[in-house]
Amino acid sequence: METEQVKCLIIGSGPAGYTAAIYAGRANLSPVLYAGLQPGGQLTTTTDVENFPGYPAGIGGPELMEDLRKQAERFGADIRYGVATAADLSTSPYKITIDDGKIIEALAVIIATGATAKYLGLDDEKKYAGMGVSACATCDGFFYRKKVVAVVGGGDTACEEASYLSGLASKVYMIVRKPFLRASKVMQQRVFNNPKIEVLFEHNAVGLYGENGVEGVHLVKRKGEADEQRYDLPIDGFFLAIGHKPNSDIFKPWLDTDEVGYLLTEPGTPRTRVPGVFAAGDVADPHYRQAITAAASGCMAAIEAERYLLLNS
Ligand SMILES: Cc1cc2nc3c(=O)[nH]c(=O)nc-3n(C[C@H](O)[C@H](O)[C@H](O)COP(=O)(O)OP(=O)(O)OC[C@H]3O[C@@H](n4cnc5c(N)ncnc54)[C@H](O)[C@@H]3O)c2cc1C
């Protein structure tokens, strides 16, 4: 099996991975970056990014990521297509297997594999992606000022997203499968006290409709099998808030995670419990999940890697 020794391996090509590559490249670490199945990461699936500093007129997600890639390459980052399929973090150098069979032996590893939003699995979610369907209220809420939106989910995140959207939209429906909210009491109270939010308990979204974007949602209200009501609810935006899946599976035998699978790091740092292995971006961030926070933690991870390598090689 082919093996290759590298100083600094970066796994993932979202804002965290590319930013880590820019910093690691400029620090002469000759970073090798594997881009994974989604080169450029989540932002390649969106049109307008209006909250990344430095772009007063906003920028398209794919263009922003292309800029970051070019910036990383300018400083010598070796960006490759390939997916990390296994990890052995028992001893340094750490061994990462790539899907072409190659094993990369790295002195420092930066994990920037992101987290994937969960969807209901409706065909219409794909059909209306970027045209009224979103999994991030902070990212897209601004586009729904004075409009009507629905949030799917009944946990803390859904309540937070609904509360946030109520500051922008004229009306927020929460579509909740169960006859109760799973969220903490405090969050429930916040939702119930908000006159703009209406909770639709025992409801399932089964489809979306609209000519050039979402104009409404097909709903089924179910109280037991016998009592089923189908109706359409006009909305402009459909927000999923049913959780994310951090892309951390191959690292779980070696690193600590929370119950959802987010990698745990030393508070305020990207350091994992394995020296020389760092986690950056959404894979280690259940709270903010923004491009700028991912980029910032990629920067921190590269600085940490540089300091670690200085002391340990
Ligand atoms: C539709 C949409 C719109 C958004 N809009 C905004 C916005 O306007 N503003 C904002 O700040 N944020 C926005 N976000 C959130 C933002 O995209 C994320 O917070 C950010 O991309 C996280 O960056 P990341 O580098 O941690 O991971 P990601 O961008 O998720 O990238 C993860 C990378 O890891 C790679 N990868 C995963 N597993 C492996 C593996 N095993 N081997 C190799 N590579 C792997 C993937 O291919 C990918 O390149 C949006 C998200 C979505 C989905």
Side-chain angles (χ1 to χ4, degrees), residues 10-19 33-53 59 61 64-65 80-86 96-99 111-117 119 129-130 133-136 138-140 143 244 246-251 280-285 288-295 297-298:
I10 299 167
I11 309 172
S13 57
Y18 280 156
T19 305
L33 180 150
Y34 277 92
L37 288 178
Q38 191 177 48
Q42 295 174 57
L43 281 187
T44 57
T45 65
T46 193
T47 44
D48 295 318
V49 180
E50 295 192 330
N51 53 11
F52 199 88
I59 182 164
L64 172 58
M65 296 317 298
R80 304 175 183 178
Y81 294 104
V83 177
T85 55
I96 306 291
T97 308
I98 307 302
D99 58 351
I111 302 166
T113 45
T116 310
Y119 287 81
V133 172
S134 171
C136 176
T138 314
C139 310
D140 296 327
F143 301 118
H244 283 73
N247 302 315
S248 60
D249 286 355
I250 61 171
F251 307 107
D282 284 13
V283 72
D285 176 9
Y288 305 109
R289 287 191 301 257
Q290 291 295 290
I292 189 65
T293 48
S297 68

Coordinates of all heavy atoms in Angstrom, one line a residue, residues 10-19 33-53 59 61 64-65 80-86 96-99 111-117 119 129-130 133-136 138-140 143 244 246-251 280-285 288-295 297-298, ligand 1:
I10 N -4.8 18.4 6.1 CA -6.1 19.0 6.4 C -7.1 18.2 5.7 O -7.0 17.9 4.5 CB -6.1 20.5 5.8 CG1 -5.0 21.3 6.5 CG2 -7.4 21.2 6.1 CD1 -4.6 22.6 5.9
I11 N -8.2 17.9 6.4 CA -9.2 17.1 5.9 C -10.5 17.9 5.8 O -11.1 18.3 6.8 CB -9.5 15.8 6.7 CG1 -8.2 15.1 7.0 CG2 -10.5 14.9 6.0 CD1 -8.3 13.9 8.0
G12 N -10.9 18.2 4.5 CA -12.1 19.1 4.3 C -11.7 20.4 3.6 O -10.7 21.0 3.9
S13 N -12.6 20.8 2.7 CA -12.4 22.0 1.9 C -13.4 23.1 2.0 O -13.8 23.8 1.1 CB -12.2 21.6 0.4 OG -13.4 20.9 0.0
G14 N -14.0 23.2 3.2 CA -15.0 24.3 3.5 C -14.2 25.5 3.9 O -12.9 25.5 3.8
P15 N -14.8 26.5 4.5 CA -14.1 27.7 5.0 C -13.1 27.3 6.0 O -12.0 28.0 6.1 CB -15.2 28.5 5.6 CG -16.5 28.0 4.9 CD -16.3 26.6 4.6
A16 N -13.3 26.3 6.9 CA -12.4 26.0 7.9 C -11.1 25.4 7.3 O -10.0 25.8 7.6 CB -13.0 25.0 8.9
G17 N -11.3 24.4 6.4 CA -10.2 23.7 5.8 C -9.3 24.6 4.9 O -8.1 24.7 5.0
Y18 N -10.0 25.4 4.1 CA -9.2 26.3 3.2 C -8.5 27.4 4.0 O -7.4 27.8 3.7 CB -10.1 27.0 2.2 CG -10.5 26.2 1.0 CD1 -11.6 26.4 0.2 CD2 -9.6 25.1 0.6 CE1 -11.9 25.6 -0.9 CE2 -9.9 24.3 -0.5 CZ -11.1 24.6 -1.3 OH -11.4 23.8 -2.4
T19 N -9.1 27.9 5.1 CA -8.5 28.9 5.9 C -7.3 28.3 6.6 O -6.2 28.9 6.7 CB -9.4 29.6 6.9 OG1 -10.6 30.1 6.2 CG2 -8.8 30.7 7.7
L33 N -4.2 19.0 1.5 CA -5.6 19.1 1.9 C -6.4 18.2 1.0 O -6.3 18.2 -0.2 CB -6.1 20.5 1.7 CG -7.6 20.8 2.0 CD1 -7.8 22.3 2.5 CD2 -8.5 20.6 0.8
Y34 N -7.3 17.3 1.6 CA -8.2 16.5 0.9 C -9.6 17.1 0.9 O -10.1 17.5 2.0 CB -8.2 15.1 1.4 CG -7.0 14.3 0.9 CD1 -5.8 14.2 1.5 CD2 -7.2 13.6 -0.4 CE1 -4.7 13.5 0.9 CE2 -6.1 12.9 -0.9 CZ -4.9 12.9 -0.3 OH -3.8 12.2 -0.8
A35 N -10.2 17.3 -0.3 CA -11.4 18.1 -0.4 C -12.7 17.3 -0.1 O -13.7 18.0 0.2 CB -11.4 18.7 -1.8
G36 N -12.6 16.0 -0.1 CA -13.9 15.3 0.2 C -14.9 15.3 -1.0 O -14.6 15.8 -2.1
L37 N -16.0 14.8 -0.7 CA -17.1 14.7 -1.8 C -17.7 16.0 -2.2 O -18.3 16.1 -3.2 CB -18.2 13.8 -1.3 CG -17.9 12.3 -1.1 CD1 -19.1 11.5 -0.6 CD2 -17.5 11.7 -2.5
Q38 N -17.5 17.0 -1.3 CA -18.1 18.3 -1.6 C -17.0 19.4 -1.6 O -16.8 20.1 -0.7 CB -19.1 18.6 -0.6 CG -20.0 19.8 -0.9 CD -21.1 20.0 0.1 OE1 -20.8 20.1 1.3 NE2 -22.3 20.2 -0.3
P39 N -16.2 19.4 -2.7 CA -15.1 20.4 -2.8 C -15.7 21.9 -2.6 O -16.6 22.2 -3.3 CB -14.5 20.3 -4.1 CG -14.8 18.9 -4.5 CD -16.2 18.6 -3.9
G40 N -15.1 22.6 -1.6 CA -15.7 23.9 -1.3 C -16.7 23.9 -0.2 O -17.1 25.0 0.3
G41 N -17.2 22.7 0.2 CA -18.1 22.6 1.3 C -19.5 23.1 1.1 O -19.9 23.3 0.0
Q42 N -20.2 23.3 2.2 CA -21.6 23.7 2.2 C -21.9 24.9 1.4 O -23.0 25.0 0.8 CB -22.1 23.9 3.6 CG -22.1 22.6 4.5 CD -22.5 23.0 5.9 OE1 -23.6 23.5 6.1 NE2 -21.6 22.7 6.8
L43 N -21.1 25.9 1.4 CA -21.4 27.2 0.8 C -21.5 27.0 -0.7 O -22.1 27.9 -1.4 CB -20.4 28.3 1.1 CG -20.5 28.9 2.5 CD1 -19.5 30.1 2.6 CD2 -21.9 29.4 2.7
T44 N -21.0 25.9 -1.3 CA -21.1 25.7 -2.7 C -22.6 25.4 -3.1 O -22.9 25.4 -4.3 CB -20.3 24.6 -3.3 OG1 -20.6 23.4 -2.5 CG2 -18.8 24.9 -3.1
T45 N -23.4 25.2 -2.1 CA -24.8 24.9 -2.4 C -25.7 26.1 -2.2 O -27.0 26.0 -2.3 CB -25.4 23.8 -1.5 OG1 -25.4 24.2 -0.1 CG2 -24.5 22.5 -1.5
T46 N -25.2 27.3 -2.0 CA -26.0 28.5 -1.8 C -25.7 29.5 -2.8 O -24.6 29.5 -3.4 CB -25.9 29.0 -0.4 OG1 -26.9 29.9 -0.2 CG2 -24.6 29.7 -0.1
T47 N -26.6 30.4 -3.0 CA -26.3 31.5 -4.0 C -25.7 32.7 -3.3 O -24.5 32.9 -3.5 CB -27.7 31.9 -4.7 OG1 -28.7 32.0 -3.7 CG2 -28.1 30.9 -5.7
D48 N -26.5 33.4 -2.5 CA -25.9 34.7 -1.9 C -25.4 34.5 -0.5 O -26.2 34.0 0.3 CB -27.1 35.7 -1.9 CG -27.5 36.1 -3.3 OD1 -26.6 36.3 -4.2 OD2 -28.7 36.2 -3.5
V49 N -24.2 34.9 -0.3 CA -23.7 35.0 1.0 C -23.5 36.5 1.3 O -22.7 37.2 0.7 CB -22.3 34.2 1.2 CG1 -21.8 34.3 2.6 CG2 -22.4 32.8 0.7
E50 N -24.3 37.0 2.3 CA -24.3 38.4 2.6 C -23.6 38.8 3.9 O -23.5 39.9 4.2 CB -25.7 38.9 2.6 CG -26.4 38.8 1.2 CD -27.7 39.5 1.2 OE1 -28.4 39.7 2.3 OE2 -28.1 40.0 0.1
N51 N -23.2 37.7 4.6 CA -22.7 38.0 6.0 C -21.2 37.7 6.1 O -20.7 37.6 7.3 CB -23.5 37.4 7.0 CG -23.7 35.9 6.8 OD1 -23.0 35.3 6.0 ND2 -24.6 35.2 7.5
F52 N -20.5 37.4 5.0 CA -19.1 37.1 5.2 C -18.3 38.4 5.0 O -18.5 39.1 4.0 CB -18.6 36.1 4.1 CG -17.3 35.4 4.5 CD1 -17.3 34.3 5.2 CD2 -16.1 36.0 4.1 CE1 -16.1 33.7 5.6 CE2 -14.9 35.4 4.4 CZ -14.9 34.2 5.2
P53 N -17.6 38.9 6.1 CA -17.0 40.2 6.0 C -16.1 40.3 4.8 O -15.4 39.4 4.3 CB -16.2 40.2 7.3 CG -16.7 39.2 8.2 CD -17.3 38.2 7.3
I59 N -21.7 37.9 -2.0 CA -20.9 37.1 -3.0 C -21.6 35.7 -3.1 O -22.2 35.3 -2.1 CB -19.5 37.0 -2.6 CG1 -18.7 36.2 -3.6 CG2 -19.3 36.3 -1.2 CD1 -17.2 36.3 -3.6
G61 N -21.9 31.8 -3.0 CA -21.2 30.8 -2.2 C -20.1 30.1 -3.0 O -18.9 30.1 -2.6
L64 N -17.1 32.5 -3.5 CA -16.4 32.7 -2.3 C -15.4 31.6 -2.1 O -14.2 31.7 -1.8 CB -17.3 32.9 -1.1 CG -16.7 32.9 0.3 CD1 -15.7 34.1 0.4 CD2 -17.8 33.1 1.3
M65 N -15.9 30.3 -2.3 CA -15.1 29.2 -2.0 C -14.0 29.0 -3.0 O -12.9 28.6 -2.7 CB -16.0 27.9 -1.9 CG -17.0 27.9 -0.8 SD -16.3 28.5 0.8 CE -15.0 27.3 1.1
R80 N -6.2 18.3 -3.0 CA -6.4 17.1 -3.8 C -7.9 16.6 -3.6 O -8.5 16.9 -2.6 CB -5.5 15.9 -3.2 CG -4.1 16.3 -3.2 CD -3.3 15.1 -2.5 NE -1.9 15.5 -2.5 CZ -1.0 14.7 -1.9 NH1 -1.3 13.6 -1.3 NH2 0.3 15.1 -1.8
Y81 N -8.4 15.9 -4.7 CA -9.7 15.3 -4.6 C -9.5 14.0 -3.8 O -8.5 13.3 -4.1 CB -10.3 15.1 -5.9 CG -10.6 16.4 -6.6 CD1 -9.8 16.9 -7.6 CD2 -11.7 17.1 -6.2 CE1 -10.1 18.1 -8.2 CE2 -11.9 18.4 -6.7 CZ -11.1 18.8 -7.8 OH -11.4 20.1 -8.3
G82 N -10.3 13.6 -3.0 CA -10.2 12.4 -2.2 C -10.9 12.5 -0.9 O -11.1 13.6 -0.4
V83 N -11.3 11.3 -0.4 CA -12.1 11.2 0.8 C -11.3 10.4 1.8 O -10.8 9.4 1.5 CB -13.5 10.5 0.5 CG1 -14.3 10.4 1.8 CG2 -14.3 11.3 -0.5
A84 N -11.2 10.9 3.0 CA -10.6 10.1 4.1 C -11.6 9.1 4.6 O -12.7 9.4 4.9 CB -10.2 11.1 5.3
T85 N -11.1 7.8 4.5 CA -12.1 6.7 4.8 C -11.8 6.0 6.2 O -12.6 5.3 6.7 CB -12.1 5.7 3.7 OG1 -10.7 5.2 3.5 CG2 -12.6 6.2 2.4
A86 N -10.6 6.2 6.7 CA -10.2 5.6 8.0 C -9.1 6.4 8.6 O -8.4 7.1 8.0 CB -9.8 4.2 7.8
I96 N -3.9 8.4 8.0 CA -5.2 8.6 7.5 C -5.3 7.9 6.1 O -4.4 8.1 5.2 CB -5.5 10.1 7.2 CG1 -5.3 10.9 8.5 CG2 -6.9 10.3 6.6 CD1 -6.3 10.7 9.6
T97 N -6.3 7.0 5.9 CA -6.5 6.3 4.7 C -7.4 7.1 3.8 O -8.4 7.6 4.2 CB -7.1 4.9 4.9 OG1 -6.3 4.2 5.9 CG2 -7.1 4.1 3.7
I98 N -6.9 7.2 2.5 CA -7.7 7.9 1.5 C -8.4 6.9 0.6 O -8.0 5.8 0.5 CB -6.8 8.9 0.7 CG1 -5.9 9.7 1.6 CG2 -7.6 9.7 -0.3 CD1 -6.7 10.7 2.5
D99 N -9.5 7.3 0.0 CA -10.4 6.4 -0.8 C -9.6 5.8 -2.0 O -10.1 4.8 -2.6 CB -11.7 6.9 -1.1 CG -11.7 8.2 -2.0 OD1 -10.6 8.7 -2.1 OD2 -12.7 8.6 -2.5
I111 N -8.8 18.4 11.3 CA -10.1 17.9 10.8 C -11.1 19.0 10.6 O -11.4 19.7 11.5 CB -10.6 16.9 11.9 CG1 -9.6 15.8 12.2 CG2 -12.0 16.3 11.4 CD1 -9.9 14.9 13.4
A112 N -11.5 19.2 9.4 CA -12.5 20.2 9.0 C -13.5 19.7 8.1 O -13.8 20.2 7.0 CB -11.7 21.4 8.4
T113 N -14.2 18.6 8.6 CA -15.1 17.9 7.7 C -16.5 18.3 7.8 O -17.4 17.7 7.2 CB -15.0 16.3 8.1 OG1 -15.0 16.2 9.5 CG2 -13.7 15.7 7.6
G114 N -16.8 19.3 8.6 CA -18.2 19.9 8.6 C -19.2 19.1 9.2 O -19.0 18.0 9.8
A115 N -20.5 19.6 9.1 CA -21.6 18.9 9.6 C -22.7 19.0 8.6 O -22.8 20.1 7.9 CB -22.1 19.5 10.9
T116 N -23.5 18.0 8.4 CA -24.5 18.0 7.3 C -25.9 18.2 8.0 O -26.3 17.4 8.9 CB -24.5 16.7 6.6 OG1 -23.1 16.5 6.2 CG2 -25.3 16.7 5.3
A117 N -26.7 19.2 7.5 CA -28.0 19.4 8.0 C -28.9 18.2 7.6 O -28.8 17.6 6.5 CB -28.6 20.7 7.4
Y119 N -32.5 16.7 6.6 CA -33.7 17.1 5.9 C -34.7 16.0 6.1 O -34.4 14.9 6.5 CB -33.4 17.2 4.4 CG -32.6 18.5 4.1 CD1 -31.2 18.5 4.3 CD2 -33.2 19.7 3.7 CE1 -30.5 19.7 4.1 CE2 -32.5 20.8 3.5 CZ -31.1 20.9 3.7 OH -30.4 22.0 3.5
A129 N -34.4 23.8 -3.3 CA -33.2 24.2 -2.5 C -32.7 25.6 -3.0 O -32.6 25.8 -4.2 CB -32.1 23.2 -2.8
G130 N -32.5 26.5 -2.1 CA -32.1 27.8 -2.4 C -33.2 28.7 -3.0 O -33.1 29.8 -3.4
V133 N -36.2 26.9 0.5 CA -35.9 25.9 1.5 C -34.5 26.2 2.1 O -33.6 26.4 1.4 CB -35.8 24.4 0.9 CG1 -35.3 23.4 1.8 CG2 -37.2 24.1 0.4
S134 N -34.4 26.1 3.4 CA -33.1 26.5 4.1 C -33.0 25.6 5.3 O -34.0 25.3 5.9 CB -33.1 28.0 4.4 OG -32.0 28.2 5.2
A135 N -31.8 25.4 5.7 CA -31.5 24.7 7.0 C -30.8 25.7 7.9 O -30.1 25.2 8.9 CB -30.8 23.4 6.8
C136 N -30.8 27.0 7.7 CA -30.1 27.9 8.5 C -30.7 29.3 8.5 O -30.7 30.0 7.6 CB -28.6 28.0 7.9 SG -27.6 29.2 8.8
T138 N -30.0 31.8 10.5 CA -29.1 32.9 10.6 C -28.6 33.3 9.2 O -28.4 34.5 8.9 CB -27.9 32.5 11.5 OG1 -28.3 31.9 12.6 CG2 -27.0 33.7 11.8
C139 N -28.4 32.3 8.4 CA -27.9 32.5 7.0 C -29.0 33.2 6.2 O -28.7 34.1 5.4 CB -27.5 31.2 6.3 SG -26.4 30.2 7.3
D140 N -30.2 32.7 6.2 CA -31.2 33.0 5.2 C -32.4 33.8 5.7 O -33.2 34.3 4.9 CB -31.7 31.7 4.5 CG -30.5 31.0 3.7 OD1 -29.7 31.7 3.2 OD2 -30.5 29.8 3.7
F143 N -33.6 37.1 4.1 CA -34.3 37.2 2.8 C -35.8 37.0 3.0 O -36.6 37.1 2.1 CB -33.8 36.0 1.9 CG -32.3 36.1 1.6 CD1 -31.5 35.0 2.0 CD2 -31.8 37.2 1.0 CE1 -30.1 35.1 1.8 CE2 -30.4 37.2 0.7 CZ -29.6 36.2 1.1
H244 N -28.3 18.3 12.8 CA -27.2 18.2 11.9 C -26.5 16.9 12.2 O -26.5 16.4 13.4 CB -26.2 19.3 12.0 CG -26.7 20.6 11.4 ND1 -27.7 21.4 11.9 CD2 -26.2 21.2 10.3 CE1 -27.9 22.4 11.2 NE2 -27.0 22.4 10.2
P246 N -22.7 15.7 12.4 CA -21.3 16.1 12.2 C -20.5 14.9 11.4 O -20.8 13.8 11.7 CB -20.7 16.2 13.6 CG -21.9 16.2 14.5 CD -23.0 15.6 13.8
N247 N -19.7 15.3 10.5 CA -19.0 14.2 9.7 C -17.7 13.8 10.5 O -16.6 14.1 10.1 CB -18.6 14.8 8.4 CG -19.8 15.3 7.6 OD1 -20.9 14.6 7.6 ND2 -19.8 16.4 7.0
S248 N -18.0 13.0 11.6 CA -16.9 12.7 12.5 C -16.7 11.2 12.7 O -15.9 10.8 13.5 CB -17.2 13.4 13.9 OG -18.4 12.9 14.4
D249 N -17.5 10.4 12.0 CA -17.5 9.0 12.3 C -16.2 8.3 12.3 O -15.9 7.5 13.3 CB -18.4 8.2 11.2 CG -19.9 8.5 11.4 OD1 -20.2 9.2 12.4 OD2 -20.7 8.1 10.6
I250 N -15.3 8.6 11.4 CA -14.0 7.8 11.3 C -13.1 8.2 12.5 O -12.1 7.5 12.8 CB -13.3 8.0 10.0 CG1 -12.9 9.4 9.7 CG2 -14.1 7.4 8.8 CD1 -12.0 9.5 8.4
F251 N -13.4 9.3 13.1 CA -12.5 9.8 14.2 C -13.0 9.4 15.6 O -12.3 9.5 16.6 CB -12.3 11.3 14.1 CG -11.9 11.8 12.8 CD1 -12.8 12.5 11.9 CD2 -10.6 11.6 12.3 CE1 -12.4 12.9 10.7 CE2 -10.2 12.0 11.1 CZ -11.1 12.6 10.2
A280 N -11.7 21.8 13.5 CA -12.1 23.2 13.2 C -13.4 23.2 12.4 O -13.7 22.3 11.6 CB -11.0 23.8 12.3
G281 N -14.1 24.3 12.6 CA -15.4 24.4 11.8 C -16.5 23.7 12.4 O -16.5 23.3 13.5
D282 N -17.5 23.5 11.5 CA -18.8 22.9 12.0 C -18.7 21.5 12.6 O -19.6 21.2 13.4 CB -19.8 22.8 10.8 CG -20.4 24.2 10.4 OD1 -19.8 25.2 10.8 OD2 -21.3 24.2 9.6
V283 N -17.7 20.8 12.3 CA -17.6 19.4 12.8 C -17.4 19.5 14.4 O -17.7 18.5 15.1 CB -16.4 18.6 12.2 CG1 -15.1 19.1 12.6 CG2 -16.6 17.1 12.5
A284 N -16.9 20.6 14.8 CA -16.7 20.8 16.3 C -17.5 21.9 16.9 O -17.2 22.4 17.9 CB -15.2 21.0 16.5
D285 N -18.6 22.3 16.1 CA -19.3 23.5 16.6 C -20.8 23.3 16.5 O -21.5 23.6 15.5 CB -18.9 24.7 15.7 CG -19.7 26.0 16.0 OD1 -20.5 26.0 17.0 OD2 -19.6 26.9 15.2
Y288 N -22.7 27.7 16.5 CA -22.7 28.9 15.6 C -22.8 28.4 14.1 O -23.6 29.0 13.4 CB -21.4 29.7 15.7 CG -21.2 30.1 17.2 CD1 -20.3 29.6 18.0 CD2 -22.1 31.1 17.7 CE1 -20.1 30.0 19.3 CE2 -22.0 31.4 19.1 CZ -21.0 30.9 19.9 OH -20.9 31.2 21.2
R289 N -22.1 27.5 13.7 CA -22.1 26.9 12.3 C -22.3 28.0 11.2 O -23.2 28.0 10.4 CB -23.3 25.9 12.2 CG -23.0 24.6 12.9 CD -24.1 23.6 12.6 NE -25.4 24.0 13.0 CZ -26.1 23.6 14.0 NH1 -25.5 22.7 14.8 NH2 -27.2 24.1 14.3
Q290 N -21.3 28.9 11.2 CA -21.3 30.0 10.2 C -19.9 29.9 9.5 O -18.9 29.4 10.0 CB -21.4 31.3 10.9 CG -22.8 31.6 11.4 CD -23.8 31.7 10.3 OE1 -23.9 32.6 9.6 NE2 -24.7 30.6 10.3
A291 N -19.9 30.4 8.3 CA -18.7 30.4 7.5 C -17.6 31.1 8.2 O -16.4 30.7 8.2 CB -19.0 31.0 6.1
I292 N -17.9 32.3 8.8 CA -16.9 33.1 9.4 C -16.3 32.4 10.7 O -15.1 32.5 11.0 CB -17.4 34.5 9.7 CG1 -16.2 35.5 10.1 CG2 -18.5 34.6 10.7 CD1 -15.2 35.7 9.1
T293 N -17.2 31.7 11.4 CA -16.7 31.1 12.6 C -15.9 29.8 12.2 O -14.9 29.5 12.9 CB -17.8 30.6 13.6 OG1 -18.9 30.0 12.8 CG2 -18.5 31.8 14.3
A294 N -16.3 29.2 11.1 CA -15.5 28.0 10.6 C -14.1 28.5 10.2 O -13.1 27.9 10.5 CB -16.3 27.3 9.5
A295 N -14.1 29.6 9.4 CA -12.8 30.1 8.9 C -11.9 30.5 10.1 O -10.7 30.2 10.1 CB -13.1 31.4 8.0
S297 N -11.9 29.3 13.1 CA -11.3 28.2 13.8 C -10.3 27.4 13.0 O -9.4 26.8 13.5 CB -12.4 27.2 14.4 OG -13.1 26.6 13.3
G298 N -10.5 27.5 11.6 CA -9.4 27.0 10.8 C -8.1 27.7 10.9 O -7.0 27.1 11.0
Ligands
LIG1 C1 -27.5 26.2 1.9 C2 -26.5 26.8 2.9 C3 -26.4 28.2 3.0 C4 -25.5 28.7 4.0 N1 -25.4 30.1 4.0 C5 -24.5 30.6 4.9 C6 -24.3 32.0 4.9 O1 -25.0 32.8 4.1 N2 -23.4 32.5 5.8 C7 -22.7 31.7 6.6 O2 -21.9 32.2 7.3 N3 -22.9 30.4 6.6 C8 -23.8 29.8 5.8 N4 -24.0 28.5 5.8 C9 -23.2 27.7 6.8 C10 -21.8 27.5 6.3 O3 -21.8 27.0 5.0 C11 -21.1 26.5 7.2 O4 -21.1 27.0 8.5 C12 -19.6 26.4 6.8 O5 -19.5 26.0 5.4 C13 -18.9 25.4 7.6 O6 -17.6 25.3 7.2 P1 -16.7 24.0 7.4 O7 -15.4 24.3 6.8 O8 -16.7 23.6 8.9 O9 -17.4 22.8 6.7 P2 -18.2 22.5 5.4 O10 -18.4 23.7 4.6 O11 -19.3 21.7 5.7 O12 -17.1 21.6 4.6 C14 -16.8 20.3 5.0 C15 -15.8 19.8 4.0 O13 -15.3 18.5 4.5 C16 -15.3 17.6 3.4 N5 -15.3 16.3 4.0 C17 -16.3 15.7 4.8 N6 -15.9 14.5 5.1 C18 -14.7 14.2 4.5 C19 -13.9 13.1 4.5 N7 -14.2 12.0 5.1 N8 -12.7 13.2 3.8 C20 -12.4 14.4 3.1 N9 -13.2 15.5 3.2 C21 -14.3 15.4 3.8 C22 -16.4 18.0 2.5 O14 -16.2 17.5 1.2 C23 -16.3 19.5 2.6 O15 -15.4 20.0 1.7 C24 -24.8 27.9 4.9 C25 -25.0 26.5 4.8 C26 -25.8 26.0 3.8 C27 -26.0 24.5 3.7

